[in-house]
Amino acid sequence: MIRLNLNTKKNLTIGVMVLAISVFIYAFTSAENETEKQESGMAALPVEVAKPIYESITEWDEYTGRFEASSRVEVRARVSGFLEKVNFQDGELVKKGQTLFVIDQRPYRIALDEAKANYAQALASLKTAQDNFERVESLRETGALSIEEYDRRKQALVHAEASIQLAQAKVDNAKLNLEFTEVKAPISGLVSRDRVNEGNIIDGGSANSTVLTTIVATSPIHFYFTGSESDYLKYVRLARNGERGEARSEALPVFIKLLDEDEFVHEAKMDFVDNEIDMNSGTIESRAVLENKDHLLEPGMYGKAKLVGSEEHKAMMVPDEIIGTNQSIRYIYTLSDDNQVVSKAVTLGPLHSNGLRIVRGGISPDDKVIVNNLQKIRPGMVVSPSQVAIQGEVNNLTAVAQAD
């Protein structure tokens, strides 16, 4: 039986451990080399690259606002009385001068008859005063009449003449009140419902009179929106430099889209800019006017408007979805000459009317920007590029800008 001493056992154990470690290191190294061989043999990731669109454009600024009637009237009676008749259907189109309500006319006819009778009495009194004065006028020259009597009859004539004017004014007022018993439409437009039904007593003739209904004129219709003080200054400076029309004196084009529309299909003209900046909000109100012959647009509707925000200039544009974000930094992946991915920080402008994002700086028109597989690439990676072209959307604003 072979017996190993303590040192021999210890050396044997160390030898086994060294052998095991050597085998592990060899196996790991071989696997790593095999992985590198496999990676080096893999094809580079295919990506699509394109040059930014670089062309002359006119920028458009976008605002939100609401439609308002070009004219709105609260219909009130100018005399009080019993509401006898309603002469319209709720919501119909009425013409200016059309009779909408009729107030009981009998009290006002009686008042007119009384005024006419008073006028007739005043006319008779005037005739008497004139006859009396004419009789004494010839006697004055002969001295057969006292000065006091002459003055008395002359004053009576003047009083009678004034009385006839007063009586005539009362007749005119009675006629006017009788006319006011027919409440007529002051403007043409769409009438609301009758807020007071037949058979009610209404007040009239004051600012607190009963509101009978309302009428709104919606063709043309107004669109109101507000812009910031900085926007206002930008437009003023552009106008003074001859790079844009003057908003207050020129009918600048405005394009509007509704809540359910994707494009700005309603064309309007700017016709008003307010005369001061609102001290609370720091904004200034503007108005555009547009035709509404089909009455699609209603007061109170929400909309978005675009108007010219710059002169024509050269600009680079790329799809908005290829722009990445790293905290506050915006970047675009581009391709170097040796097909490596390069990240470039960019300064962005607004979305243009063709749906592309304006790039103010950070890339050049000759850069090749990567437009796909953006989640799979990273800076320094070698890729396999294929050339494509960036396509922008075509809409009415693009067509207008090109025509200009």
Side-chain angles (χ1 to χ4, degrees):
M1 185 175 183
I2 301 173
R3 294 187 179 182
L4 300 176
N5 56 32
L6 183 60
N7 291 332
T8 302
K9 290 181 178 181
K10 185 175 181 180
N11 292 336
L12 183 59
T13 301
I14 293 173
V16 172
M17 292 177 63
V18 170
L19 179 61
I21 292 173
S22 300
V23 172
F24 176 76
I25 292 174
Y26 175 79
F28 178 78
T29 303
S30 299
E32 186 177 24
N33 291 337
E34 186 65 24
T35 301
E36 290 180 355
K37 289 179 181 180
Q38 290 177 359
E39 288 184 351
S40 61
M42 289 176 60
L45 180 69
V47 296
E48 295 177 350
V49 296
K51 290 185 177 181
I53 291 181
Y54 185 62
E55 60 185 26
S56 295
I57 65 168
T58 300
E59 295 184 25
W60 298 79
D61 294 333
E62 184 174 324
Y63 299 93
T64 58
R66 290 195 179 274
F67 291 95
E68 290 187 16
S70 54
S71 183
R72 182 181 185 277
V73 175
E74 291 183 341
V75 179
R76 304 172 190 263
R78 300 176 71 172
V79 293
S80 301
F82 175 84
L83 187 60
E84 191 173 69
K85 193 174 183 181
V86 178
N87 282 342
F88 65 92
Q89 296 294 324
D90 294 350
E92 74 173 349
L93 183 64
V94 297
K95 299 294 185 180
K96 182 178 180 179
Q98 178 179 335
T99 300
L100 304 179
F101 300 90
V102 178
I103 299 170
D104 186 6
Q105 296 181 335
R106 292 173 297 177
Y108 296 97
R109 291 189 185 279
I110 293 172
L112 177 59
D113 292 340
E114 181 180 358
K116 288 180 177 180
N118 290 334
Y119 178 80
Q121 289 180 346
L123 193 61
S125 298
L126 176 61
K127 178 62 176 174
T128 302
Q130 285 176 337
D131 292 342
N132 291 336
F133 180 72
E134 289 173 356
R135 291 190 189 100
V136 302
E137 191 173 17
S138 60
L139 296 176
R140 180 189 178 191
E141 296 178 357
T142 62
L145 182 71
S146 66
I147 296 177
E148 290 80 4
E149 181 63 18
Y150 177 83
D151 290 342
R152 185 183 67 80
R153 294 193 181 191
K154 184 177 180 180
Q155 290 173 359
L157 177 59
V158 173
H159 178 75
E161 291 173 344
S163 297
I164 208 70
Q165 292 179 353
L166 178 61
Q168 182 62 57
K170 289 183 177 180
V171 171
D172 293 341
N173 184 65
K175 286 182 179 179
L176 198 58
N177 286 337
L178 180 60
E179 182 182 334
F180 288 160
T181 59
E182 294 184 354
V183 182
K184 299 181 179 182
I187 62 171
S188 298
L190 292 173
V191 67
S192 181
R193 62 181 178 86
D194 56 325
R195 298 190 180 181
V196 180
N197 305 126
E198 297 175 359
N200 287 283
I201 301 294
I202 60 172
D203 292 327
S206 70
N208 296 322
S209 300
T210 307
V211 177
L212 303 179
T213 188
T214 59
I215 302 174
V216 293
T218 59
S219 181
I221 194 169
H222 290 159
F223 182 81
Y224 286 90
F225 59 96
T226 57
S228 66
E229 183 177 345
S230 60
D231 287 342
Y232 172 78
L233 290 173
K234 179 182 76 170
Y235 297 146
V236 170
R237 298 189 190 284
L238 286 173
R240 291 183 177 179
N241 294 333
E243 300 170 359
R244 181 181 184 268
E246 171 58 49
R248 284 196 171 98
S249 60
E250 300 182 33
L252 300 180
V254 179
F255 295 88
I256 302 173
K257 72 175 181 179
L258 305 181
L259 191 63
D260 62 341
E261 295 174 339
D262 296 325
E263 295 184 359
F264 295 80
V265 297
H266 305 279
E267 185 173 357
K269 298 292 184 182
M270 179 96 70
D271 76 329
F272 167 75
V273 177
D274 210 349
N275 59 355
E276 61 182 357
I277 303 290
D278 187 283
M279 296 182 63
N280 295 321
S281 63
T283 60
I284 188 168
E285 187 177 58
S286 300
R287 182 180 70 199
V289 61
L290 64 161
E291 294 296 329
N292 186 31
K293 294 180 180 179
D294 59 355
H295 298 286
L296 169 67
L297 308 174
E298 295 285 349
M301 289 177 65
Y302 165 88
K304 288 187 177 181
K306 278 191 174 182
L307 63 153
V308 176
S310 75
E311 66 170 335
E312 185 176 342
H313 64 282
K314 287 280 190 179
M316 290 181 294
M317 293 170 285
V318 299
D320 204 29
E321 58 269 18
I322 74 169
I323 301 171
T325 303
N326 183 7
Q327 295 181 350
S328 60
I329 299 174
R330 299 295 183 91
Y331 63 88
I332 293 176
Y333 285 134
T334 62
L335 194 66
S336 66
D337 294 336
D338 54 358
N339 291 340
Q340 286 191 357
V341 177
V342 178
S343 176
K344 291 188 175 182
V346 291
T347 302
L348 302 179
L351 279 173
H352 189 46
S353 56
N354 59 6
L356 301 178
R357 177 69 65 177
I358 297 173
V359 181
R360 304 288 193 200
I363 60 174
S364 72
D366 295 325
D367 276 333
K368 298 178 181 179
V369 299
I370 301 175
V371 298
N372 74 332
N373 285 334
L374 300 176
Q375 302 298 327
K376 299 178 181 180
I377 59 178
R378 62 182 183 274
M381 177 184 290
V382 177
V383 294
S384 176
S386 60
Q387 190 74 29
V388 296
I390 295 175
Q391 298 293 333
E393 299 175 1
V394 177
N395 54 36
N396 61 324
L397 297 184
T398 306
V400 169
Q402 292 174 350
D404 293 342

